[in-house]
Amino acid sequence: MQCHRIADDVFRYQDTCHVYVLRSGADAVLIDFGSGGVLDHLPELGIDRITDILITHHHRDQVQGLSRAAAAGIQIWVPPVERNLIDDVDEHWRTRPLDNDYDVRQDRYSLLNQVPVTGTVAEYRTTRYGAFDIHTIPLPGHTVGSVGYLLDLGGRRLAFTGDLIHGEGRLWSLAATQWAYTGFHENAGMEGVAATILSCLQLLRQEPDVLLPSHGEAVTDPPASIDRLRGRLQELLDMRRRTPWNPERMLNEPWQHITPHLLRNTTSMARSYALLSESGTALLFDFGFDLTTGLPGGHDRSSRRPLLASVEALHRDHGIDRVEVALPTHYHDDHVAGFNLLREVHGTEVWSPDHIADVLSAPTRWDLPCLWYDPITVDRVLPQEGTVRWREYEIGVHHLPGHTLYAAAYSFMVDGRRVIATGDQQNTVWDPGTAEPELLNYQYRNRFRIDDFVRSAELYQVLRPEVMISGHWPPFDVTDGYLDMLLTEGTRLARLHRDILPRDVDFEAEGFGARISPYRSAPGPGGTVRMTVEVRNPFPQQEQALLTLVVPPGWSAEPLVQKLDIDGHRCAETEFLVRIPASASAAERQRVAVDMMVGRMAFGQQAEALVSVR
């Protein structure tokens, strides 16, 4: 028999990985599934039915038999970040880059064919599966999205840890911990090694009595085993660093005081800031990738994972009962990736200026870089300009285009100092005594406009902040010289753009005259998509724009052609209704475009949108 008793009503089935069987009467819950052979041995354990399967990570040795479980009607629960590598893995195999491939993660060690799942496990929370209350904890290391499960049973705490650790202080795979090709981050090529150390240290805080790994024997002395593994991994990691790495500081001291009531998270990517209230609550400016050890290669869903480790430190070290509100400086993933998890675990509300809220709540409508994968519900929509009251603070809200059109600055007084949060608008490392220039952080695809940095410099001149906090640079004590420099450099940037770009055709800095919304949509056969086209007249005088929608063969649009009279250097919008024939087959990313003529000048197919028929 391949089943070995671990504890009362807990068994280990030895398969392509260890499958743990949690028995309650004639029912059972499984941790991981392997080839599915465990189903053939249930009668030997007196088990009639498996109610649930909990997966620790997506690798094939954990899940290769899942289609058998799905066919048997068993509920399947998977890690949130890795769901797409299980129930949508066909798309992964279809789109995963292979040529000139720098993505070294083991995401190709995934299922060959996708399997439907019931849902995802709730990280940081305890949920009842079958007859068991099981707590899910993030354990990144072996994979980006790995999780572990804690079960209190018979006075002992069992930790099912996947491939975080192998037996007494080893790893099942070091190759799996290399998440990115060697680059310029201080942990480049060692991201998973660093994450494994942090996960092990956080696991010890849960005080498990025994670790039950996916491979290897049970770990009966977790502190000793983790201490051995940590020492070896630390030595390996430090071989590639100029200075030794300090994981305890990341876990124990993630927050740095700017003032007594304003903290900076030094472990997050990008930096987030906590404004503390005397009520024992906190407001966060941004919250992206917490406790980061470096971003993995690739851009798929399984490559980006939010965590909440620093929130625990707010509770533990700063007397914060609840993170009450999160405010985004802009929509980019490294600033908002953790918002949904904050809401789910801590009940945090998301407040956002209206121009950012639309991008957060419906990311597929927008043709923009750095969008988060999932919609983020906004609980309170703020005006682009004005003030909002939170606890004892009056916070100014200011539109701050430049780095992106969909950005805001927040001004407030804390501990007697005027502070402004500016996101990624510019780096704040300026030193007039050096020749290093200030970086005006514009990206054209973010919808930068020529005068944006003039406008932001003028805003700062009015607000006169004493401290500037930003997304990737240390807090900066603002001087009059710094504010004057920003205005000078913003003006120079605008002048250079006007000197370089055409004089008689003005599409602003972006260089395109049209946009289609939604950029991505997914109707069924016979469905329709209502598309809004925004068009800009690039000439100083009023002109007529002729817009022709270009659709795939067999599709239709109502109307197919639109005419608009548009004032000089202004934008206008119109709508088209795209119809997909009922006979259309499923197809991904069918292209729709708008062909544009303004006055006598033809500009061609200026904008596209992608329609997937599903």
Side-chain angles (χ1 to χ4, degrees), residues 211-223:
L211 310 184
L212 299 172
S214 288
H215 297 89
E217 294 303 312
V219 176
T220 56
D221 188 349

Side-chain angles (χ1 to χ4, degrees), residues 289-349:
F289 300 114
D290 195 26
L291 204 67
T292 183
T293 58
L295 293 181
H299 302 282
D300 57 293
R301 182 66 181 85
S302 61
S303 70
R304 299 291 182 265
R305 183 179 198 176
L307 297 167
L308 298 179
S310 66
V311 176
E312 177 187 341
L314 284 178
H315 298 322
R316 182 187 66 236
D317 302 329
H318 300 281
I320 297 303
D321 296 327
R322 179 171 172 243
V323 175
E324 200 165 55
V325 174
L327 282 173
T329 59
H330 56 294
Y331 70 88
H332 286 172
D333 64 326
D334 57 329
H335 293 256
V336 302
F339 278 18
N340 282 338
L341 196 58
L342 279 171
R343 175 189 287 107
E344 293 165 9
V345 178
H346 296 292
T348 304
E349 289 190 357

Side-chain angles (χ1 to χ4, degrees), residues 499-517:
D499 287 347
I500 292 169
L501 291 172
R503 186 193 303 272
D504 54 345
V505 178
D506 180 9
F507 281 135
E508 270 281 347
E510 291 180 83
F512 286 97
R515 284 181 170 269
I516 302 177
S517 178

Side-chain angles (χ1 to χ4, degrees), residues 414-530:
V414 57
D415 300 317
R417 305 205 73 188
R418 295 189 304 276
V419 179
I420 188 166
T422 61
D424 292 348
Q425 182 75 352
Q426 68 279 316
N427 68 355
T428 47
V429 295
W430 181 68
D431 182 348
T434 70
E436 184 176 351
E438 181 79 355
L439 171 65
L440 302 184
N441 191 14
Y442 61 92
Q443 310 290 330
Y444 294 107
R445 265 201 70 202
N446 285 335
R447 304 205 66 182
F448 161 63
R449 300 173 307 179
I450 290 174
D451 290 310
D452 281 345
F453 284 92
V454 176
R455 301 289 175 261
S456 63
E458 291 172 342
L459 172 67
Y460 303 154
Q461 294 271 4
V462 171
L463 296 175
R464 311 302 293 185
E466 297 172 275
V467 179
M468 183 175 286
I469 57 177
S470 59
H472 299 273
W473 302 276
F476 185 79
D477 288 332
V478 178
T479 64
D480 289 344
Y482 179 70
L483 296 182
D484 292 340
M485 179 275 297
L486 287 182
L487 184 57
T488 298
E489 290 299 287
T491 302
R492 183 160 74 110
L493 181 68
R495 175 183 59 78
L496 285 170
H497 275 78
R498 290 195 167 92
D499 287 347
I500 292 169
L501 291 172
R503 186 193 303 272
D504 54 345
V505 178
D506 180 9
F507 281 135
E508 270 281 347
E510 291 180 83
F512 286 97
R515 284 181 170 269
I516 302 177
S517 178
Y519 186 70
R520 288 176 285 167
S521 57
T528 61
V529 181
R530 187 170 297 279

Side-chain angles (χ1 to χ4, degrees), residues 521-562:
S521 57
T528 61
V529 181
R530 187 170 297 279
M531 293 186 173
T532 300
V533 175
E534 178 189 289
V535 59
R536 175 178 170 86
N537 175 4
F539 304 115
Q541 70 281 355
Q542 185 185 82
E543 294 284 2
Q544 185 176 82
L546 179 67
L547 307 177
T548 304
L549 211 63
V550 181
V551 297
W555 294 25
S556 62
E558 298 176 8
L560 195 62
V561 177
Q562 294 261 39

Side-chain angles (χ1 to χ4, degrees), residues 85-356:
L85 292 178
I86 296 175
D87 75 349
D88 197 25
V89 78
D90 292 357
E91 179 72 1
H92 168 72
W93 285 115
R94 190 182 71 82
T95 60
R96 207 287 191 187
L98 300 175
D99 296 320
N100 198 28
D101 178 18
Y102 278 77
D103 187 351
V104 297
R105 285 182 305 134
Q106 291 188 348
D107 57 336
R108 287 183 291 176
Y109 193 24
S110 299
L111 282 172
L112 302 182
N113 299 287
Q114 63 195 36
V115 174
V117 304
T118 308
T120 59
V121 292
E123 297 176 305
Y124 299 100
R125 285 156 286 175
T126 300
T127 305
R128 193 163 187 84
Y129 299 98
F132 300 94
D133 292 322
I134 297 176
H135 187 79
T136 302
I137 56 173
L139 293 179
H142 186 70
T143 70
V144 177
S146 292
V147 299
Y149 302 106
L150 300 173
L151 173 65
D152 293 319
L153 192 67
R156 303 175 73 209
R157 172 161 286 189
L158 310 181
F160 303 90
T161 57
D163 279 324
L164 178 71
I165 191 169
H166 176 264
E168 300 295 335
R170 295 179 180 270
L171 289 188
W172 181 242
S173 171
L174 268 171
T177 65
Q178 193 167 59
W179 292 353
Y181 202 85
T182 302
F184 300 104
H185 188 276
E186 59 185 357
N187 291 330
M190 306 290 280
E191 302 82 8
V193 168
T196 296
I197 295 172
L198 290 169
S199 291
C200 285
L201 295 178
Q202 290 177 95
L203 178 62
L204 284 182
R205 291 181 173 180
Q206 302 291 332
E207 299 182 342
D209 294 292
V210 61
L211 310 184
L212 299 172
S214 288
H215 297 89
E217 294 303 312
V219 176
T220 56
D221 188 349
S225 182
I226 285 176
D227 186 61
R228 282 193 295 273
L229 177 61
R230 184 265 172 90
R232 295 161 180 165
L233 293 180
Q234 182 85 39
E235 184 178 357
L236 185 66
L237 179 64
D238 287 346
M239 285 181 67
R240 299 178 66 158
R241 294 175 55 94
R242 290 188 175 91
T243 58
W245 185 58
N246 186 350
E248 278 81 8
R249 188 200 64 78
M250 291 186 70
L251 288 174
N252 298 332
E253 303 173 31
W255 296 98
Q256 173 193 66
H257 277 282
I258 300 172
T259 74
H261 291 84
L262 181 63
L263 310 179
R264 173 180 181 245
N265 186 341
T266 62
T267 72
S268 61
M269 166 70 183
R271 300 300 191 221
S272 55
Y273 297 84
L275 184 62
L276 310 185
S277 168
E278 292 294 343
S279 67
T281 60
L283 177 148
L284 294 180
F285 297 101
D286 294 333
F287 197 79
F289 300 114
D290 195 26
L291 204 67
T292 183
T293 58
L295 293 181
H299 302 282
D300 57 293
R301 182 66 181 85
S302 61
S303 70
R304 299 291 182 265
R305 183 179 198 176
L307 297 167
L308 298 179
S310 66
V311 176
E312 177 187 341
L314 284 178
H315 298 322
R316 182 187 66 236
D317 302 329
H318 300 281
I320 297 303
D321 296 327
R322 179 171 172 243
V323 175
E324 200 165 55
V325 174
L327 282 173
T329 59
H330 56 294
Y331 70 88
H332 286 172
D333 64 326
D334 57 329
H335 293 256
V336 302
F339 278 18
N340 282 338
L341 196 58
L342 279 171
R343 175 189 287 107
E344 293 165 9
V345 178
H346 296 292
T348 304
E349 289 190 357
V350 175
W351 296 1
S352 172
D354 53 8
H355 65 298
I356 305 174

